[in-house]
Amino acid sequence: MHFNTGYQRESVPLVRHFVEVFRDAEVVVAPSASCVGMVRELYPKAAALSGDTALVKAVDQLIPRVYELSEFLVKRLSVTDVGAYYPHRVTYHPTCHSLRVLHVGDAPLRLLRAVKGH
């Protein structure tokens, strides 16, 4: 979160580390729309700020493989029922990043609707 709090140059080593760790991953899935939004929206800007064309290219190649969890399950794998059971009522609050940055749409709700016991 360095980049969006005013420490853009300080975020470059984090971007570089992320790319090194996940460069060869088939997919990267995170349960946080905020984190995935950071990678998709701000990592390219941080990479460009670094002036390192290899980093820019590596980020551009990795981004299409980075998903938020519900987005990955519903949109990539076409899974809407994971066999979950929870016998209590829950409230879902869509986050700003999931709506405005990632556009995950109703993926979280589709998963929640399939939960047994509610």
Side-chain angles (χ1 to χ4, degrees), residues 1 4 18 28-43 66-72 75 92-105 107-108:
M1 295 308 217
N4 63 356
F18 184 87
V28 178
V29 180
S32 167
S34 178
C35 291
V36 173
M38 180 73 170
V39 171
R40 286 194 197 161
E41 296 293 315
L42 299 179
Y43 275 20
V66 178
Y67 294 90
E68 183 272 337
L69 178 61
S70 68
E71 172 189 48
F72 179 72
K75 294 182 178 180
Y92 168 68
H93 172 76
T95 66
C96 293
H97 281 96
S98 69
L99 294 173
R100 296 185 185 114
V101 175
L102 301 181
H103 308 285
V104 299

Side-chain angles (χ1 to χ4, degrees), residues 59-95:
V59 167
D60 288 345
Q61 290 174 343
L62 183 55
I63 283 176
R65 296 179 279 142
V66 178
Y67 294 90
E68 183 272 337
L69 178 61
S70 68
E71 172 189 48
F72 179 72
L73 290 171
V74 175
K75 294 182 178 180
R76 174 84 188 268
L77 299 181
S78 299
V79 171
T80 56
D81 188 343
V82 295
Y85 173 82
Y86 190 72
H88 306 284
R89 177 175 274 186
V90 299
T91 300
Y92 168 68
H93 172 76
T95 66

Side-chain angles (χ1 to χ4, degrees), residues 8-20 46 50 55:
Q8 287 84 15
R9 292 200 185 279
E10 291 83 354
S11 70
V12 173
L14 299 172
V15 172
R16 193 175 308 282
H17 181 70
F18 184 87
V19 168
E20 289 170 5
S50 76
L55 181 60

